[in-house]
Amino acid sequence: MLDVLLLSRLQFTFTAVVHYIFIPLTIGLAVFIAYMEFRYWRTKDPLYDKMARFWTKLFLINFGVGVATGITMEFQFGTNWAAYSRFVGDVFGAPLAAEGVFAFFLESTFIGLLVFGRDKISKGMRFFAALMVAVGTSLSGFWIIAANSWQQTPQGHIINEELNRAEMVNFAEVIFNPSTMVRYLHVMEGAFITASMFIVAISAYFIIKKKNMPLAKRSMKMAIVVGLVFSVLQAFSGHSHAQLVGETQPEKLAAYEAHWETEANAPLLLFAIPDMENERNRFEFGIPGMLSFLTYDDVNAEVTGLKEFAAEDRPPVIGNFIAFRVMVTAGIILIGFFMVMAWQWRKGQLFEKERLMKTALWMLPLPYIANTAGWIVAEWGRQPWAVFGVLRTEDAVSHLSGVEVLISLGLFVAIYAFLVWLMVYLMKKEVKKFDMETSMKHLDHPKEGESA
């Protein structure tokens, strides 16, 4: 017999992971484009105009497919998770509504002005439109993170026992729950890193092909600075986030670390083979005291183990343990990569290093892998709760037949696979055909000055 809960979770996981491919790039690239428009407005250097136009084309492809995946994903709250919607709709619906009214409307309106009115408005107005798009995408991310964070650290609500539902009593407490800002900063940094790696990789492609060199070199320099700064900041915000999880969701932190026993001077495990049945690790290798230090800034602090919690309240261990290490390892590699790029730039040899340019191309998937692993850690670590400590996931699912969910899962896989293929196809086509001189020859620009 088909398990409706398992299939519904698989479907939501699949759609959310695919949707999250597009979100960080949308947020990060919008800010880059706003900066390019600002520089064009203030310096009147036509190279910034060409940069803004080119990256806006790729932004639009990513944004359009991302919106399509996001809208269909939200329908699942009413189809696969109807019990969840009935129970928390009064609370969870508020930030989602705010996202639509205050963010999506803003970014959609000004995207239209930026794209279709670009050659009919002043440079200053172009910058303002690009800025509003960047503000809109960032605000959109905030409301979504606020809603998701309420699921992690819920507050600002009461449970109406008579009606069996959560009711909001304090909007500010719901939105600014204990994990909202920490998680929002972590996500925003991930967005800037993703956009930086995206720009570096495509610029590297141009440099390898020896085409669009001025645009590629200036774009790459800009992205290296942003990527290096935010990949380092990401490490610090990730540490703060882990400390918050240790305080508010200790079983989640214990699952990340496959930490079974409550103990002082707890080790940070670099490798382990968790044994769920016997509640121990078959093999482990770690750094003594480091988990205590990273969690409480004290090597002798006591870290709560999984055995302190009932088995039915523990998050899955193996998946969280692996995903957490994938995320951290990817982050460390990205810091190292941007540092190497910056070092070669300082030596004046950046664009002569063909192997480094090829490496940049292969590095493109890494921030996406890190983002996906981070999402798995956040959401899988919250299980078995849909809303932590309030509503179990098994009580949130709709009363559907397994066949119905299986059919819709198959349709989602087919449609989302097509959308991802479409995004990749359109972007590759746009990048390969782009020529910064011929594509702009219809514009009456002054003679280009500085080029790299």
Side-chain angles (χ1 to χ4, degrees):
M1 185 175 178
L2 296 171
D3 187 332
V4 174
L5 176 60
L6 176 62
L7 288 172
S8 295
R9 289 180 65 188
L10 280 175
Q11 181 168 307
F12 194 82
T13 299
F14 175 77
T15 54
V17 165
V18 174
H19 180 56
Y20 202 54
I21 290 174
F22 307 99
I23 305 309
L25 182 60
T26 296
I27 295 173
L29 200 52
V31 175
F32 272 102
I33 292 169
Y35 177 74
M36 293 169 191
E37 292 286 5
F38 173 76
R39 294 293 295 165
Y40 179 51
W41 172 43
R42 302 312 299 168
T43 67
K44 299 181 176 52
D45 182 345
L47 182 54
Y48 283 113
D49 180 31
K50 295 173 183 178
M51 290 165 63
R53 288 174 186 270
F54 171 68
W55 294 112
T56 298
K57 287 181 181 178
L58 302 188
F59 170 84
L60 287 174
I61 295 170
N62 186 75
F63 178 80
V65 181
V67 169
T69 58
I71 290 174
T72 50
M73 188 187 76
E74 288 192 8
F75 284 136
Q76 289 177 80
F77 290 119
T79 55
N80 298 46
W81 304 99
Y84 171 87
S85 299
R86 282 193 296 271
F87 189 80
V88 305
D90 183 60
V91 182
F92 192 73
L96 293 186
E99 191 267 343
V101 173
F102 300 115
F104 186 69
F105 179 76
L106 181 69
E107 60 186 319
S108 301
T109 301
F110 281 97
I111 281 176
L113 181 60
L114 183 63
V115 175
F116 300 110
R118 177 184 292 275
D119 297 320
K120 300 180 180 64
I121 57 179
S122 67
K123 298 179 181 64
M125 192 61 203
R126 275 176 52 178
F127 162 63
F128 181 73
L131 179 64
M132 289 300 101
V133 172
V135 170
T137 56
S138 299
L139 271 179
S140 182
F142 171 78
W143 290 113
I144 297 300
I145 291 298
N148 185 271
S149 296
W150 180 79
Q151 294 178 279
Q152 306 283 348
T153 51
Q155 67 174 26
H157 70 281
I158 59 170
I159 302 299
N160 186 323
E161 300 290 349
E162 183 178 349
L163 297 177
N164 187 33
R165 69 173 191 173
E167 295 180 350
M168 182 165 56
V169 294
N170 189 318
F171 181 72
E173 287 188 2
V174 168
I175 300 304
F176 295 102
N177 63 77
S179 64
T180 295
M181 293 313 298
V182 173
R183 300 178 76 243
Y184 181 60
L185 289 176
H186 203 51
V187 168
M188 288 297 288
E189 287 160 356
F192 290 130
I193 295 168
T194 303
S196 298
M197 194 65 248
F198 180 80
I199 291 174
V200 165
I202 292 177
S203 299
Y205 170 80
F206 285 147
I207 291 169
I208 292 170
K209 296 293 182 182
K210 301 189 185 308
K211 58 184 289 191
N212 307 316
M213 294 292 274
L215 180 147
K217 289 180 178 180
R218 190 173 292 181
S219 297
M220 180 177 282
K221 288 178 178 177
M222 191 184 300
I224 289 172
V225 172
V226 175
L228 179 58
V229 169
F230 282 96
S231 60
V232 173
L233 289 176
Q234 185 75 310
F236 288 99
S237 73
H239 172 59
S240 299
H241 192 187
Q243 287 188 321
L244 178 71
V245 170
E247 178 184 342
T248 59
Q249 298 170 287
E251 61 268 59
K252 189 176 183 178
L253 179 70
Y256 291 169
E257 297 298 332
H259 183 67
W260 296 96
E261 304 286 348
T262 297
E263 60 181 329
N265 195 234
L268 179 70
L269 299 183
L270 302 179
F271 179 78
I273 302 176
D275 182 346
M276 301 293 292
E277 185 176 349
N278 295 303
E279 299 184 342
R280 66 183 180 85
N281 297 326
R282 293 183 189 174
F283 171 81
E284 63 180 39
F285 174 73
I287 305 173
M290 187 56 71
L291 180 58
S292 294
F293 178 75
L294 291 175
T295 307
Y296 299 108
D297 298 322
D298 180 358
V299 293
N300 294 313
E302 187 175 85
V303 179
T304 305
L306 280 165
K307 288 184 179 178
E308 296 293 329
F309 305 95
E312 62 271 22
D313 291 340
R314 298 174 191 166
V317 175
I318 296 177
N320 278 299
F321 182 81
I322 294 173
F324 188 73
R325 275 144 189 81
V326 169
M327 178 185 67
V328 172
T329 302
I332 293 171
I333 293 173
L334 283 165
I335 292 174
F337 172 75
F338 282 117
M339 289 180 72
V340 170
M341 296 287 281
W343 174 246
Q344 293 299 332
W345 176 11
R346 186 175 183 276
K347 290 169 60 180
Q349 299 176 356
L350 177 63
F351 305 118
E352 283 70 45
K353 299 287 184 180
E354 186 174 347
R355 184 174 297 178
L356 187 58
M357 294 298 109
K358 290 180 178 177
T359 303
L361 270 178
W362 286 103
M363 288 283 287
L364 178 56
L366 197 58
Y368 290 96
I369 292 172
N371 291 333
T372 301
W375 183 88
I376 291 172
V377 164
E379 301 305 291
W380 211 353
R382 190 184 64 231
Q383 299 304 316
W385 301 97
V387 180
F388 188 74
V390 175
L391 177 68
R392 286 184 177 274
T393 306
E394 63 190 28
D395 297 326
V397 72
S398 299
H399 298 294
L400 298 170
S401 72
V403 174
E404 289 173 323
V405 183
L406 186 63
I407 291 173
S408 62
L409 173 59
L411 290 173
F412 269 113
V413 170
I415 294 171
Y416 275 43
F418 170 74
L419 290 173
V420 171
W421 171 84
L422 182 65
M423 186 271 287
V424 174
Y425 170 78
L426 292 176
M427 282 204 177
K428 285 177 67 176
K429 185 177 179 182
E430 195 63 45
V431 170
K432 286 185 175 180
K433 78 174 186 181
F434 180 72
D435 183 289
M436 62 177 281
E437 298 304 330
T438 57
S439 64
M440 306 295 172
K441 64 183 180 182
H442 65 289
L443 299 173
D444 184 21
H445 289 310
K447 184 178 180 181
E448 185 176 332
E450 189 268 338
S451 62

